[in-house]
Amino acid sequence: MDYERLFAESLEGLRRERRYRIFNEIERDAARFPRATWRSPAGSREIVIWCSNDYLGMGRHPEVINAMTETAKKVGAGAGGTRNISGNSRAIVELETELADLHGKEAGLVFTSGYVSNETGIATIAKLLPDCLILSDSGNHNSMIEGVRRSGREKVIFRHNDLAHLEELLAAAGDRPKLVVFESIYSMGGDVAPIGEICKLAETYGAMTYLDEVHAVGMYGTRGAGIAERDGVMNCVDVIEGTLGKAFGVVGGYISGKRVVIDAVRSFAPGFIFTTALPPAVAAAASASIRHLKNSSLERQQQQAQVKKTKAALVRARLPLMPTDTHIIPVMVNEAGACKAASDMLLTEHGIYIQPINFPTVTRGTERLRITPTPFHDELLIAHLVKALTEVWMKLDLPFVSDRPAQAAE
């Protein structure tokens, strides 16, 4: 059996579909973010990052860096093993307290990534509920889909943000245990879930709710707890999941909720029990970031201002934006090859880094460039972005808004 040939054929299929992923070597400049150095095959050059999930630039914040470096000097670089074997570091205990306080919950539990917290959290909660039915939004992230799959429980998919369809499925489920899993902000479209209405339906039909706030924590609400805080419905959600690797600028994931639920996940979840803990230095940095954003709205205000300016400039240039009310700006290309070509051209000809978003992250025919301005993308950088995108659109003969057929624009 020629195993290498089989792998090579699989990779060739990705290349034919223009979905083969290229990982560019990029070194961020903490002092000059969002500027960075691209180590290209032709040599090093300065670029500007326009697609970072470090939405507020907290990965370069002096308080965050200082907390990380000082903790590493005291206790070392790593955690030494799992939390059960190597012991709970004080830094992680403090981080979980910060997270519980952030979301107004009794307890928090930290994982090594947001992917793991979703996959492990959903699977473990559903497994512990006898005959549980999981009701999952059709737009949910792969980590949530994998959590549902790994639970081994029956699932039904409700149409994206469709309350009537969700109620229909809840009513049909009867009195069995039910878990509704959904996101607050959907990362590729930037749309927002009706959290309060979903929670009301869940309460009416006796279901638990599990909310992914990874693209909202740090970004929305008085203290940066997310969309649920902004909308005043945080207390209605049973389990809130988030990440430390986006607006908080570090790495890691977590869940928060009632103490008994969190303790059950801590006690039964393989993805928690059998993996090395976050290094104390990382936990300390995350706590510093969370504390800062609980007390400072400046970063959120500045970021929202630059998002507004970027959207307005792109609209004036007649570039095809998907309308959103959040910080995520999808510019629609709608064809995989053109999307990859546009991304490559932006990087090589204009020094702008925006990764193409293709299938399976989005459905075929909805490929896009996903732009995420930070507080540090000033007016000069916005003007450069718009000029570059306009030139790329013209070179690739991509349609501007007024060029689209009337039927397609509706």
Side-chain angles (χ1 to χ4, degrees), residues 225-386:
I227 296 292
E229 182 190 31
R230 185 198 71 178
D231 293 352
V233 293
M234 200 159 56
N235 64 317
C236 303
V237 183
D238 291 305
V239 179
I240 295 178
E241 186 266 352
T243 184
L244 306 169
K246 292 182 171 60
F248 293 129
V250 193
V251 68
Y254 65 89
I255 59 173
S256 62
K258 289 188 179 298
R259 194 173 307 280
V260 66
V261 176
I262 301 306
D263 192 22
V265 175
R266 182 193 69 86
S267 300
F268 286 94
F272 172 80
I273 296 169
F274 297 108
T275 193
T276 298
L278 281 185
V282 171
S287 290
S289 183
I290 294 165
R291 282 193 297 269
H292 179 86
L293 291 173
K294 281 179 180 178
N295 295 294
S296 172
S297 61
L298 179 62
E299 290 81 5
R300 288 187 282 277
Q301 292 170 356
Q302 291 177 336
Q303 196 259 359
Q304 289 164 13
Q306 298 315 104
V307 168
K308 185 177 180 180
K309 292 173 184 176
T310 304
K311 286 180 178 179
L314 293 170
V315 168
R316 285 194 299 270
R318 300 185 295 113
L319 288 155
L321 273 63
M322 178 186 289
T324 76
D325 294 323
T326 62
H327 60 284
I328 294 167
I329 307 176
V331 179
M332 304 305 294
V333 181
N334 300 323
E335 198 280 316
C339 195
K340 178 66 167 63
S343 174
D344 290 345
M345 197 175 292
L346 285 168
L347 183 60
T348 58
E349 298 183 12
H350 301 278
I352 289 175
Y353 181 64
I354 307 175
Q355 276 292 81
I357 306 298
N358 292 334
F359 178 83
T361 307
V362 295
T363 57
R364 298 179 194 275
T366 67
E367 292 82 4
R368 66 202 65 179
L369 300 175
R370 177 181 175 274
I371 296 171
T372 53
T374 72
F376 307 99
H377 286 91
D378 59 25
E379 284 72 7
L380 287 176
L381 292 182
I382 293 171
H384 179 224
L385 171 70
V386 173

Side-chain angles (χ1 to χ4, degrees), residues 53-311:
N53 283 342
D54 188 358
Y55 296 133
L56 301 177
M58 291 302 293
R60 60 175 292 281
H61 196 283
E63 292 177 19
V64 176
I65 293 174
N66 184 64
M68 178 177 285
T69 55
E70 290 301 312
T71 303
K73 288 177 184 177
K74 291 178 182 177
V75 302
T82 67
R83 289 171 69 176
N84 180 54
I85 292 174
S86 295
N88 252 352
S89 72
R90 181 63 186 167
I92 281 193
V93 173
E94 290 177 349
L95 173 58
E96 290 174 341
T97 300
E98 288 286 353
L99 291 166
D101 173 76
L102 176 67
H103 293 292
K105 302 300 183 186
E106 293 176 359
L109 188 67
V110 171
F111 295 82
T112 50
S113 74
Y115 193 103
V116 174
S117 58
N118 262 340
E119 183 183 53
T120 300
I122 292 170
T124 305
I125 290 168
K127 281 180 180 178
L128 293 174
L129 299 175
D131 193 33
C132 179
L133 174 69
I134 303 175
L135 300 99
S136 178
D137 188 287
S138 63
N140 279 343
H141 187 265
N142 178 265
S143 59
M144 304 180 81
I145 294 169
E146 281 299 302
V148 172
R149 186 178 69 81
R150 288 180 178 277
S151 74
R153 297 303 190 189
E154 183 184 354
K155 73 175 186 299
V156 290
I157 309 298
F158 62 94
R159 292 185 292 270
H160 181 50
N161 282 346
D162 190 328
L163 294 171
H165 191 213
L166 174 60
E167 182 168 19
E168 177 187 329
L169 295 173
L170 284 167
D175 293 331
R176 65 193 292 190
K178 297 172 284 292
L179 179 67
V180 182
V181 296
F182 61 110
E183 301 181 42
S184 60
I185 295 179
Y186 289 84
S187 62
M188 293 302 136
D191 52 325
V192 177
I195 300 171
E197 289 86 347
I198 289 174
C199 288
K200 286 177 184 177
L201 286 176
E203 183 179 7
T204 299
Y205 292 95
M208 279 187 68
T209 49
Y210 180 105
L211 174 65
D212 175 319
E213 287 258 41
V214 297
H215 291 277
V217 289
M219 304 290 291
Y220 300 90
T222 306
R223 301 198 306 157
I227 296 292
E229 182 190 31
R230 185 198 71 178
D231 293 352
V233 293
M234 200 159 56
N235 64 317
C236 303
V237 183
D238 291 305
V239 179
I240 295 178
E241 186 266 352
T243 184
L244 306 169
K246 292 182 171 60
F248 293 129
V250 193
V251 68
Y254 65 89
I255 59 173
S256 62
K258 289 188 179 298
R259 194 173 307 280
V260 66
V261 176
I262 301 306
D263 192 22
V265 175
R266 182 193 69 86
S267 300
F268 286 94
F272 172 80
I273 296 169
F274 297 108
T275 193
T276 298
L278 281 185
V282 171
S287 290
S289 183
I290 294 165
R291 282 193 297 269
H292 179 86
L293 291 173
K294 281 179 180 178
N295 295 294
S296 172
S297 61
L298 179 62
E299 290 81 5
R300 288 187 282 277
Q301 292 170 356
Q302 291 177 336
Q303 196 259 359
Q304 289 164 13
Q306 298 315 104
V307 168
K308 185 177 180 180
K309 292 173 184 176
T310 304
K311 286 180 178 179

